[in-house]
Amino acid sequence: NLKVALQASIGIIFGMIILMVILGIILNNIYHEVAPEYFKTPGEAIYNVFRLISIEGWYDIPNDIADRIIDNPVLYYITKYMFVVIVFLGILGLSFVTSIFSDKMAEDNNDEVIKKLNSMENLITELKNEISELKK
């Protein structure tokens, strides 16, 4: 059932939204001057965090920012690895949403199959009882 799957996934989806907002605000504060086309406002920053999490431009954005701060090697590598962590968290979160959603969608089918198996088991038991009574 779609409703059950959405209800089961809502916690992770809500968590992903909170993560995007928090990361967007943090990245806006860090990179609004370095990369204003990506992080000028919190709204743009949140959108670009969504792009990173959904693997759209996941290497363009950090490479573009890192190229602008190449004169500071520490900040350069921190930037690269920070974006790797963001992308990894996004992939992990989306994988959880997908797996929970798929599991709940398939769960309904399992319940129906189990009911049918129990029904067949009861019929077989009844048949065995009838056959044993007929043999007597």
Side-chain angles (χ1 to χ4, degrees):
N1 183 323
L2 182 62
K3 184 179 178 182
V4 173
L6 285 173
Q7 287 175 342
S9 304
I10 198 72
I12 301 269
I13 293 170
F14 188 65
M16 291 291 293
I17 291 170
I18 290 173
L19 178 69
M20 284 190 302
V21 169
I22 290 170
L23 288 172
I25 291 169
I26 290 169
L27 293 175
N28 168 256
N29 287 323
I30 296 172
Y31 296 113
H32 71 276
E33 290 178 7
V34 176
E37 68 274 16
Y38 301 120
F39 303 108
K40 185 175 185 176
T41 66
E44 288 178 43
I46 292 167
Y47 168 72
N48 283 300
V49 169
F50 173 76
R51 283 182 60 200
L52 290 166
I53 286 175
S54 64
I55 318 296
E56 173 66 33
W58 68 273
Y59 59 88
D60 291 334
I61 295 171
N63 284 344
D64 192 22
I65 294 170
D67 289 344
R68 295 176 191 186
I69 55 173
I70 200 157
D71 57 327
N72 185 343
V74 173
L75 192 56
Y76 175 86
Y77 286 107
I78 288 173
T79 296
K80 290 261 189 174
Y81 292 117
M82 180 178 57
F83 281 99
V84 166
V85 170
I86 291 170
V87 171
F88 178 75
L89 289 174
I91 291 171
L92 193 63
L94 292 175
S95 296
F96 279 136
V97 170
T98 303
S99 64
I100 290 171
F101 193 84
S102 300
D103 186 51
K104 289 299 179 181
M105 289 295 283
E107 192 174 87
D108 287 344
N109 296 337
N110 292 342
D111 290 342
E112 201 170 303
V113 169
I114 289 172
K115 286 179 186 176
K116 287 182 179 180
L117 284 173
N118 287 336
S119 171
M120 289 176 66
E121 190 175 82
N122 290 337
L123 285 173
I124 291 171
T125 304
E126 287 176 20
L127 284 172
K128 282 182 179 179
N129 291 339
E130 285 181 23
I131 289 173
S132 66
E133 284 184 26
L134 286 174
K135 287 183 178 180
K136 290 181 184 180

